[in-house]
Structure formats: C-alpha cells, structure tokens
Amino acid sequence: GLGDVYKRQKEYKADVIAEIENSDFNRDVISSCISQAQSAGYTLTVTPSANADGETVSADVILSYDYKMPVFGIEKTHMTRGIAR
C-alpha cells in the first residue's frame, strides 16, 4: 500500500544522503545518485550550500515520487526532504 511506498521512499532518501555525505559532496556521486533515482522512478533534487570559503558544507535533498492509481483516479506527488551535512 501507500504506507510501504512512503517507507521505501524515506529509506531511499536516507541512503542517498549517506552516499552524498560519505563522498564529501562529490559532484559525480551526486549526478550518479540523481540518475539512479530516476531509474528507480524518483525525482531527486540536490541543492548544495557553500560556506564563505566556497566549500560545500551541506546539501538540501528532495526526493519526489509520483504515485498513480488510475483505477481510482488518484495521482499524487509525494515529497520527502532531508539535509546532507
């Protein structure tokens, strides 16, 4: 059901955040996460924030999922958000 979808999405987001943090905000890793998310049916947006020295210190991570149940005419976008530090 929908609860499972949300649970999987939260877990996926947590994995993405861990991967980005472990890579120290590596751009290639972020790009790879974005394309992997797309393959999994998600839309991933990663917005890095830099400090005064121009070093990335955190990133805003938003994972969206379009949930469709045509039979019931249900179409929703569910978004889960987190911060990589």
Side-chain angles (χ1 to χ4, degrees), residues 13-26 29-30 33 46 56-59 61 82-85:
K13 181 197 63 185
D15 290 345
V16 166
I17 287 175
E19 213 168 317
I20 291 171
E21 289 174 343
N22 292 338
S23 79
D24 203 22
F25 305 103
N26 181 296
V29 170
I30 292 173
C33 285
V46 180
T56 301
V57 287
S58 70
V61 176
I83 307 245
R85 299 183 195 284

Side-chain angles (χ1 to χ4, degrees), residues 9-47:
Q9 186 178 359
K10 278 205 166 89
E11 288 167 358
Y12 194 96
K13 181 197 63 185
D15 290 345
V16 166
I17 287 175
E19 213 168 317
I20 291 171
E21 289 174 343
N22 292 338
S23 79
D24 203 22
F25 305 103
N26 181 296
R27 285 186 188 285
D28 294 336
V29 170
I30 292 173
S31 297
S32 160
C33 285
I34 290 171
S35 47
Q36 281 172 14
Q38 216 167 9
S39 307
Y42 295 115
T43 303
L44 177 65
T45 313
V46 180
T47 311

Side-chain angles (χ1 to χ4, degrees), residues 41-83:
Y42 295 115
T43 303
L44 177 65
T45 313
V46 180
T47 311
S49 300
N51 64 13
D53 299 324
E55 296 165 25
T56 301
V57 287
S58 70
D60 204 27
V61 176
I62 299 173
L63 190 68
S64 311
Y65 177 73
D66 290 330
Y67 185 76
K68 292 182 178 79
M69 281 181 74
V71 182
F72 302 108
I74 296 173
E75 198 169 318
K76 289 180 180 166
T77 300
H78 186 259
M79 204 178 265
T80 180
R81 189 165 177 251
I83 307 245

